Amino acid sequence: MLSPRHQRRIMTCTVVAAAFGLVSTQAFAGSSGTGPRPWQASHQAAVGRQHIKAVHAGDAASAFAAEGDEDGADEAENSAEATAQFTEARTAPGVVAPGAYGAAWQQLQSMRHTSGDWDHVTRKAYDSDDPRYRDVNSNSSGGSGQVTGRITGIAADDQGYVYAGGANGGVFRSRTGGGHWKPISDRLPSLSTGTLALDGGNRLWYATGESNTGATSFVGTGVYVLKDPRHGQFRPGDRVGGAELESTVIHALRFAGTKVWAATGTGVWSHSTTTLSGPWKHEFAPNPDYLPGGAKADDPSAPYRNIANDIAVDPKDPDKVLLAVGWRGGDAYNGLYARQDDGSWKPASGLGDLPTGSDDVGNMTFAAAADGSRLYAVDQSPAQMATNPDSGLKGVYVSRNGSPFGPWTLVADYTKLKASGSALQDAGYQPGIQSWYNQFLQVDPTDADHVYLGLEEVFETRNGGATWTTPGPYWNFPFPCWSIDPAKRTGDCSPTTHSDQHAVAIGSYRGRSWAYVGNDGGIYRRPLRGAVDSGGHAKDWQSLNDGTIDTLQYYSVGVGKDLTYGGVSVTGGLQDNGQSILRGRDKVMGSDFGGDGGDTITDPANGCNTAEEYVYLAIWVTQNCGVNDGSWTTDPAKATEYEVAPPDSDLGGAGARFIAPIAADAKNPATWVAGGRHVWVNTKGYAIRSGEEWTNAYDLGEGHVATAVASSGGTVYAGWCGPCNNQGFTRGIAVGNADGTGWHQLNLPVDGTVPNRYISGFDVDPADAQHVFVAVNGFSRKWTEGPGAGVGHVFESRNGGADWTDVSANLPDVPADTVKFLPGGGLALGTDLATFYRPAGATQWQVLGHGLPSTAVMQLRTGPDGRLYAATHGRGIWSFDVRRLTGRKG
């Protein structure tokens, strides 16, 4: 979601990239005109400060107009860069072979666990509109209400059972039409959700592998079927077929007769719905040489050469099938393919208004009426995305006879939708600007002319597309009803959904029909034929993110003493959900920073002293937890948060990673280190008020950007990459002093002890700054074909990095994200699969505790309460009492 404090970054709030088994998108996206351009990122950073004032003064239109039309293109450019970076960490410098994740999970099952259980810290409602934090720089009062992480699959029945799948959080079940959720897939090796579907027998199908080619999408381990979804839980033995769909993403499941079709990142597959054993049949892939095992499997573009987005089956003849195939950035193979009588596939054409050519078929979604009388489609055009700065949406179409082969008629384009109550029309870009990432389509099962459409916003037509409304606008800020001061509103701003739509379903509860939508802020519902105001905006959305469903996607965590209420304050940066804050006695979390949340620094002695990164090192600081003082001011000079971004932030991706590293010195909390192209040092701590107060300690070099930083007693370690994608990937470590002296690059040859993979985290021995550990991301050479991939995930140096020793020992071969010294001398390691523990003096690793879901642990931090905190990217923040490991008591 955009933040009023941070210009119009609708695209960057979406993500940072597809992970397991995929390669970087940067080179391939760039070839289709979507690569990042440094001058555009710089332009965005410069105009952001204007946007704060104008929007909160009620003059959103003038603020956006001042930024220029080209800024809509900037959003797409920055998103492409963001999309690349999460993947780069896990794959560069090569291609990861299928089976890497499954092998690591299998090894994990046989490892010993320490005693003790993890506690779920963020199992509380998260109110993005919390009035306590209605600072001029927050998203509060935008209308999203209670939020959680990205929901990418929804299924609902007619008895009040609703199933919601988190992007990397697994499946949750509600028996009350939404709310009071219970996780039901935590025993599976993958919690990444591609889609959910109920079949005619009311079995729940769970396709793993998130299909968004966006920020933090993880591939899965196949499709699972739960025969009794109202009472049961998924188990590994519920998998359909064999390992054919491992290490891929799944966009859609479509049922026809006794067959289920799957649109995946490796083409189209099918399987019997009556016999669930036996392998999946590979029906079609446009470029088979690029599939795993193919002659061109090691090509950097291979993951994008066989993407299937959806499948439409003729309701009158299940042998007539139409495939929508193609990479969102464009490729010669993009298009629609029709099944022939002999079982072969050929490009389709002559379908009426529905595009069929490679330039105009990108991400496409179909939706059929229950009676087969209508078939709808929404299409994102690669050509439009490359040339139109306002929108990538080609259009919405209907086949009024229900046949995939039409004739099709255009019923909406972005200009029609923007005039239907969209909140984007005043923002300098239009509906469909992210249609490569935001899409859903659903037909009312009782009315073939009643359709819900999801892009950045939720749209609705009740007459087959002749007219549209926007029941779920992006946010309320542009509307006359809005004011930062509730007492000064000119009307009642109705609740809306969070932005960026991904999933939809229709179900019933207690005799009433509901529309359920999933987006970057969780899951919401409204009556199927709900009420709207004069602007066509719904008056009846209900957030179902009640705290029992925690799919929050954290990048970071910070913990400090709560001097007001006692206990500790826990905060962290989130994908598209700002910065959450949970204080000592809170029963509901609030949001004290808007937009995306990146890395975090929190004062252990005072949790209200917090520094939070937006993206690209755009750092903000507060010394009162960002609490609103009651004045409801729109004057940024009286805000409770201050922008203190170092100069590299103005260079966008050329100056810093999308989520760039920041850290406080372990011995001097007032000394901070921030990593972009340069290593920046701040010696004023939380009293800093300007980006000009940073000093440049070291230049990592042209094309190099920091990936991890750590400091202890003034000794600073900075890991970097550049180039950071597969083609020419290089990494390094620089060491020096915070005062700018003594800097040098370590000798890390490509085939050296420390692999040529992404440096993801450091921690320095508090007793000896020359003693340091480094965590290395990606899979080892066993699974990665790139040069210098090497082996190992944790390395130790006792002489300031001059020499390194691989201490990975019995760890599973899985990307490592963060490493942390523990009191008593032990070591904790957070990975994409679990958190591990190595006791002081030991060489072997154990799984740390019990109860932590199998999702990515992005950051580990110790708190002043003697607990270890884990920021997971899909299941919130968890804590573990590490004192039990050494027998110490609190």
Side-chain angles (χ1 to χ4, degrees):
M1 171 178 283
L2 261 69
S3 167
R5 67 192 175 104
H6 286 308
Q7 78 264 18
R8 306 166 32 245
R9 265 212 175 126
I10 182 172
M11 300 296 285
T12 58
C13 67
T14 60
V15 288
V16 196
F20 289 121
L22 300 185
V23 299
S24 162
T25 64
Q26 189 162 344
F28 193 67
S31 67
S32 60
T34 57
R37 300 173 189 169
W39 68 266
Q40 292 176 324
S42 178
H43 170 70
Q44 276 197 306
V47 300
R49 298 167 184 83
Q50 303 170 12
H51 183 53
I52 298 170
K53 300 177 183 178
V55 169
H56 282 293
D59 189 15
S62 64
F64 292 130
E67 296 176 13
D69 291 340
E70 79 275 11
D71 209 37
D74 295 352
E75 304 297 351
E77 302 289 353
N78 281 305
S79 183
E81 180 173 355
T83 299
Q85 292 186 5
F86 205 82
T87 299
E88 290 168 356
R90 286 155 177 79
T91 60
V95 176
V96 178
Y101 180 74
W105 187 82
Q106 287 291 342
Q107 183 178 343
L108 179 68
Q109 304 315 299
S110 63
M111 291 186 68
R112 177 186 174 189
H113 288 244
T114 71
S115 61
D117 295 322
W118 286 86
D119 292 326
H120 192 174
V121 176
T122 54
R123 196 176 185 272
K124 291 179 171 62
Y126 176 22
D127 185 2
S128 68
D129 287 328
D130 192 331
R132 293 177 297 170
Y133 305 101
R134 196 156 294 170
D135 185 90
V136 64
N137 297 317
S138 80
N139 280 332
S140 183
S141 78
S144 295
Q146 294 180 347
V147 296
T148 189
R150 188 163 68 246
I151 295 296
T152 52
I154 306 175
D157 66 15
D158 59 359
Q159 297 297 314
Y161 286 83
V162 184
Y163 309 93
N168 198 33
V171 183
F172 290 76
R173 173 177 60 214
S174 171
R175 294 172 173 165
T176 57
H180 306 289
W181 303 91
K182 300 287 186 184
I184 61 171
S185 65
D186 282 2
R187 297 179 182 179
L188 296 183
S190 174
L191 301 184
S192 173
T193 301
T195 190
L196 287 168
L198 288 164
D199 66 12
N202 216 34
R203 297 177 299 180
L204 181 63
W205 292 67
Y206 179 35
T208 63
E210 185 187 354
S211 59
N212 296 308
T213 51
T216 43
S217 303
F218 290 80
V219 299
T221 53
V223 177
Y224 300 82
V225 172
L226 188 56
K227 296 178 181 178
D228 183 13
R230 295 179 180 177
H231 305 96
Q233 295 196 21
F234 285 102
R235 298 174 182 271
D238 294 329
R239 188 166 73 173
V240 179
E244 299 83 22
L245 301 188
E246 273 196 17
S247 300
T248 189
V249 298
I250 300 177
H251 298 252
L253 294 176
R254 301 296 182 186
F255 300 92
T258 60
K259 179 183 287 189
V260 60
W261 296 81
T264 81
T266 56
V268 177
W269 302 71
S270 70
H271 202 282
S272 168
T273 58
T274 56
T275 303
L276 301 183
S277 60
W280 286 81
K281 179 184 178 182
H282 199 192
E283 296 275 2
F284 176 70
N287 297 294
D289 284 349
Y290 292 89
L291 293 172
K296 298 181 180 180
D298 60 350
D299 188 293
S301 69
Y304 313 99
R305 304 307 297 271
N306 288 289
I307 294 174
N309 293 298
D310 210 346
I311 301 146
V313 182
D314 192 322
K316 299 180 180 65
D317 185 351
D319 288 330
K320 293 182 178 180
V321 182
L322 185 69
L323 309 180
V325 176
W327 161 238
R328 66 174 176 83
D331 196 279
Y333 78 89
N334 283 33
L336 300 181
Y337 292 79
R339 188 179 185 183
Q340 307 300 302
D341 292 340
D342 62 359
S344 63
W345 300 87
K346 292 184 178 180
S349 61
L351 304 184
D353 290 343
L354 187 67
T356 59
S358 60
D359 289 342
D360 279 326
V361 176
N363 187 19
M364 183 179 287
T365 301
F366 296 116
D371 62 3
S373 63
R374 298 282 191 280
L375 181 63
Y376 293 86
V378 55
D379 177 45
Q380 167 260 327
S381 163
Q384 175 129 322
M385 190 172 75
T387 59
N388 186 341
D390 295 329
S391 177
L393 179 67
K394 185 67 174 179
V396 183
Y397 306 83
V398 62
S399 170
R400 292 195 171 94
N401 61 12
S403 169
F405 300 95
W408 290 84
T409 302
L410 175 71
V411 292
D413 58 14
Y414 77 91
T415 58
K416 185 173 185 177
L417 293 174
K418 79 174 182 180
S420 303
S422 168
L424 296 180
Q425 59 182 325
D426 294 324
Y429 44 83
Q430 310 298 347
I433 185 70
Q434 287 186 164
S435 51
W436 59 270
Y437 174 69
N438 303 135
Q439 274 194 26
F440 71 57
L441 202 58
Q442 176 70 50
V443 186
D444 182 341
T446 64
D447 182 354
D449 288 327
H450 184 201
V451 181
Y452 276 87
L453 164 69
L455 295 169
E456 299 75 38
E457 303 166 289
V458 180
F459 297 91
E460 180 183 15
T461 180
R462 299 191 185 188
N463 53 19
T467 60
W468 295 80
T469 58
T470 311
Y474 196 86
W475 54 15
N476 285 326
F477 295 126
F479 302 145
C481 61
W482 180 84
S483 169
I484 194 171
D485 184 350
K488 296 181 180 178
R489 292 184 182 177
T490 60
D492 292 328
C493 275
S494 301
T496 185
T497 71
H498 194 283
S499 58
D500 301 339
Q501 311 305 318
H502 299 289
V504 63
I506 292 173
S508 299
Y509 179 56
R510 293 182 174 175
R512 192 175 190 184
S513 295
W514 298 89
Y516 297 90
V517 301
N519 47 52
D520 274 12
I523 180 170
Y524 298 76
R525 77 175 185 184
R526 70 182 293 244
L528 181 57
R529 291 180 171 271
V532 296
D533 61 21
S534 59
H537 307 130
K539 300 192 291 185
D540 43 19
W541 285 110
Q542 300 173 22
S543 170
L544 302 178
N545 309 304
D546 58 3
T548 61
I549 182 170
D550 183 0
T551 59
L552 290 167
Q553 296 170 275
Y554 282 94
Y555 292 112
S556 62
V557 59
V559 189
K561 292 181 180 178
D562 190 324
L563 302 183
T564 302
Y565 302 108
V568 294
S569 171
V570 181
T571 185
L574 288 151
Q575 188 273 323
D576 213 6
N577 282 288
Q579 185 91 359
S580 73
I581 182 167
L582 178 65
R583 301 182 68 180
R585 296 181 183 177
D586 280 355
K587 298 189 182 303
V588 175
M589 293 191 293
S591 179
D592 53 356
F593 293 95
D596 276 86
D599 211 345
T600 301
I601 301 175
T602 299
D603 184 352
N606 181 355
C608 275
N609 287 335
T610 302
E612 176 261 3
E613 179 199 16
Y614 173 47
V615 294
Y616 299 115
L617 279 185
I619 300 171
W620 292 65
V621 67
T622 180
Q623 291 194 272
N624 74 339
C625 287
V627 174
N628 184 277
D629 65 4
S631 66
W632 307 107
T633 179
T634 58
D635 182 357
K638 298 180 181 179
T640 57
E641 300 162 353
Y642 310 91
E643 185 180 15
V644 296
D648 278 353
S649 179
D650 288 337
L651 301 177
R657 297 288 280 174
F658 184 73
I659 302 298
I662 58 177
D665 190 276
K667 292 184 177 181
N668 183 2
T671 296
W672 299 354
V673 178
R677 167 176 167 166
H678 303 84
V679 178
W680 297 96
V681 175
N682 157 40
T683 58
K684 294 186 176 181
Y686 302 94
I688 187 173
R689 291 293 181 268
S690 167
E692 296 177 356
E693 297 174 81
W694 294 89
T695 58
N696 178 6
Y698 184 64
D699 184 348
L700 293 172
E702 184 176 357
H704 298 166
V705 285
T707 59
V709 295
S711 177
S712 181
T715 297
V716 181
Y717 294 84
W720 56 266
C721 64
C724 296
N725 61 7
N726 283 316
Q727 296 179 338
F729 177 86
T730 306
R731 56 81 184 98
I733 299 174
V735 182
N737 299 316
D739 64 6
T741 63
W743 279 92
H744 59 284
Q745 295 280 357
L746 299 182
N747 181 22
L748 297 178
V750 169
D751 293 315
T753 303
V754 178
N756 187 41
R757 304 201 311 269
Y758 189 91
I759 304 296
S760 55
F762 295 101
D763 205 19
V764 185
D765 187 340
D768 179 5
Q770 297 298 299
H771 184 201
V772 61
F773 286 88
V774 62
V776 181
N777 212 288
F779 290 93
S780 78
R781 180 178 289 282
K782 178 179 179 181
W783 300 103
T784 306
E785 301 171 7
V791 296
H793 295 277
V794 189
F795 296 83
E796 179 182 22
S797 176
R798 292 185 176 273
N799 55 8
D803 300 288
W804 295 92
T805 301
D806 185 353
V807 295
S808 306
N810 62 321
L811 283 171
D813 187 359
V814 66
D817 301 305
T818 177
V819 61
K820 188 65 184 174
F821 272 99
L822 299 179
L827 198 66
L829 179 73
T831 74
D832 278 0
L833 198 62
T835 296
F836 299 95
Y837 170 68
R838 194 188 75 169
T843 59
Q844 299 294 293
W845 295 84
Q846 306 168 45
V847 180
L848 182 59
H850 299 265
L852 185 66
S854 296
T855 190
V857 177
M858 301 299 290
Q859 192 172 82
L860 295 171
R861 290 273 173 87
T862 51
D865 54 354
R867 302 184 71 88
L868 177 70
Y869 287 80
T872 78
H873 203 76
R875 288 294 287 272
I877 294 173
W878 297 67
S879 73
F880 186 89
D881 190 347
V882 294
R883 294 169 296 189
R884 68 172 61 245
L885 300 173
T886 59
R888 297 185 302 119
K889 297 181 179 179

